């Protein structure tokens, strides 16, 4: 066994008492849980923070999903069956998407929130999520570290260019804004498809492309829904935080859960369609609708009901 696999075996023995906690942490570090948290922040009135975290997390998800199609790196339990710890994934292992998104989400939140306690908790969560992926035997140490590194690159890039980009895009006309956002959002997806066609690299499994289409639709829907925020045209949040939690957040979370479960129910039917392009289009539309519901449709319904 390699040094990295020996480390995983060591962790699986010595972290066994924390098995349930590490599994819960890993389960809650999938992209959909981050997006649900962003929706709650948005409905509570933390619009700018929710916009930043959701866009960065989705863009990060598109990047690592595309990279997994090029870096066909196996997972520890694939190479060493004895490291299987009851957890399987349906994509390749490099980079670790959990580690990358943990760094992007919690790292960006730590940069945005000036609280020493929160930053300590954020760092602890990032480390624990990476550790949980090692313990479960689904990533080598190198895959986790590369995920952390890519996440840091995304944070630095965002911190340096976000304000400049927002000022620039507000000066464009609406059609140009939409065209630019569409191109940027779908860049990882487009590069993945083109590179496979040009370089003839093994395309991998179809679910990875379906994920790319779905998360690209999500990101585009969020991006265009939040465009008015750049011009301070978003409606103000009314009522106390308790009232927003009772009338907006809790019903919104339930509605998102129902919609997401509907997506899971529809997925097998979409995957059975004969044409791949139609599959990708429908997954894109599902993502687009979910983001519009969270950012625009449900807030409008709430505004009508609770004027």
């Amino acid at each position: 066994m390699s040094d990295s696999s020996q480390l995983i075996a060591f962790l699986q023995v010595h972290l066994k008492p924390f098995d349930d906690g590490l599994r819960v942490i890993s389960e809650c570090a999938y992209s959909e849980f981050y997006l649900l948290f962003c929706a709650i922040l948005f409905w509570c009135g933390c619009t700018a923070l929710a916009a930043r975290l959701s866009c960065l997390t989705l863009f990060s998800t598109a990047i690592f999903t595309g990279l997994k199609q090029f870096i066909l790196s196996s997972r520890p339990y694939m190479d060493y069956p004895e490291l299987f710890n009851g957890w399987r994934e349906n994509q390749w292992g490099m980079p670790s998407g959990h580690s990358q998104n943990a760094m992007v989400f919690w790292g960006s939140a730590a940069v945005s929130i000036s609280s020493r306690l929160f930053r300590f908790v954020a760092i602890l969560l990032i480390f624990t999520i990476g550790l949980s992926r090692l313990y479960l035997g689904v990533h080598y140490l190198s895959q986790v570290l590369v995920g952390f590194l890519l996440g840091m690159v995304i944070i630095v890039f965002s911190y340096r260019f976000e304000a400049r980009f927002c000022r620039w895009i507000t000066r464009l006309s609406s059609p140009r804004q939409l065209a630019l956002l569409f191109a940027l959002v779908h860049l990882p997806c487009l590069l993945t498809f083109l590179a496979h066609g040009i370089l003839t690299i093994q395309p991998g499994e179809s679910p990875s492309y379906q994920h790319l289409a779905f998360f690209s639709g999500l990101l585009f829907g969020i991006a265009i829904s939040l465009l008015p925020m750049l011009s301070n045209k978003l409606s103000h949040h009314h009522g106390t935080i308790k009232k927003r939690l009772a009338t907006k957040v809790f019903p919104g979370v339930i509605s998102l859960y129902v919609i997401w479960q509907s997506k899971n129910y529809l997925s097998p039917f979409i995957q059975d369609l004969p044409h791949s392009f139609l599959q990708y289009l429908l997954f894109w539309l599902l993502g687009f609708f979910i983001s519009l519901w969270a950012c625009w449709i449900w807030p409008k319904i709430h505004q009508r009901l609770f004027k």
Side-chain angles (χ1 to χ4, degrees):
M1 297 177 70
S2 64
D3 292 340
S4 185
S5 58
Q6 289 178 359
L7 172 63
I8 294 170
F10 174 84
L11 292 175
Q12 289 180 347
V13 172
H14 291 82
L15 294 181
K16 189 66 176 177
F18 308 99
D19 180 84
D20 291 340
L22 290 171
R23 291 180 187 275
V24 169
I25 288 173
S26 192
E27 181 67 36
C28 293
Y30 283 101
S31 300
E32 50 264 37
F33 288 95
Y34 290 130
L35 297 177
L36 178 61
F37 191 64
C38 289
I40 293 172
L41 286 174
F42 180 74
W43 295 330
C44 285
C46 303
T47 310
L49 180 61
R52 178 180 298 112
L53 295 180
S54 59
C55 289
L56 287 179
T57 301
L58 281 171
F59 194 68
S60 169
T61 300
I63 289 175
F64 74 68
T65 302
L67 286 175
K68 287 176 186 286
Q69 300 304 295
F70 298 100
I71 312 173
L72 308 184
S73 176
S74 59
R75 296 176 182 270
Y77 70 82
M78 297 177 180
D79 298 329
Y80 305 98
E82 64 270 23
L83 295 179
F84 178 69
N85 201 5
W87 200 288
R88 295 186 185 276
E89 298 286 354
N90 60 0
Q91 297 185 55
W92 297 100
M94 178 67 84
S96 168
H98 276 66
S99 303
Q100 182 174 321
N101 272 356
M103 179 62 71
V104 168
F105 185 89
W106 294 112
S108 298
V111 170
S112 303
I113 300 174
S114 57
S115 166
R116 290 184 178 181
L117 176 61
F118 179 82
R119 289 174 176 174
F120 172 77
V121 172
I123 293 172
L124 184 62
L125 282 171
I126 293 169
F127 172 79
T128 307
I129 289 170
L131 184 66
S132 72
R133 304 307 284 172
L134 294 172
Y135 170 77
L136 292 171
V138 293
H139 284 297
Y140 290 109
L141 179 61
S142 60
Q143 296 170 345
V144 170
L145 293 178
V146 169
F148 285 156
L149 178 62
L150 289 174
M152 285 190 286
V153 170
I154 293 172
I155 292 174
V156 172
F157 188 85
S158 168
Y159 181 79
R160 183 166 184 177
F161 295 105
E162 176 186 331
R164 193 179 308 174
F165 173 79
C166 291
R167 288 194 299 268
W168 174 63
I169 197 172
T170 54
R171 295 197 293 265
L172 301 178
S173 63
S174 295
R176 290 185 177 182
Q177 288 178 341
L178 292 176
L180 176 63
L181 288 176
F182 188 87
L184 289 176
V185 164
H186 295 87
L187 186 60
C189 189
L190 179 62
L191 289 177
T192 302
F193 281 109
L194 289 179
H196 281 312
I198 296 173
L199 302 177
T200 64
I201 299 176
Q202 181 182 352
E205 299 179 354
S206 179
S208 296
Y209 294 102
Q210 295 165 4
H211 290 153
L212 267 175
F214 176 71
F215 285 111
S216 296
L218 268 173
L219 180 53
F220 185 64
I222 290 175
I224 64 172
S225 297
L226 297 176
L227 263 179
M229 183 185 69
L230 300 179
S231 302
N232 297 318
K233 295 177 182 178
L234 283 177
S235 58
H236 296 286
H237 297 268
H238 299 284
T240 63
I241 184 63
K242 290 184 178 180
K243 182 178 179 179
R244 289 201 295 268
L245 286 173
T247 64
K248 192 173 188 178
V249 176
F250 290 150
V253 169
I254 294 173
S255 68
L256 269 185
Y257 175 80
V258 172
I259 294 173
W260 203 278
Q261 289 304 309
S262 301
K263 173 254 183 185
N264 294 336
Y265 175 79
L266 292 172
S267 293
F269 297 97
I270 298 176
Q271 291 168 352
D272 289 338
L273 293 174
H275 300 292
S276 297
F277 177 77
L278 185 58
Q279 294 178 13
Y280 303 150
L281 177 61
L282 289 177
F283 275 109
W284 187 94
L285 289 172
L286 277 173
F288 185 70
F289 172 75
I290 290 174
S291 58
L292 285 186
W293 174 267
C295 297
W296 187 74
I297 299 175
W298 170 240
K300 288 292 184 182
I301 293 175
H302 175 268
Q303 188 177 23
R304 291 285 183 89
L305 294 175
F306 302 96
K307 288 184 178 180

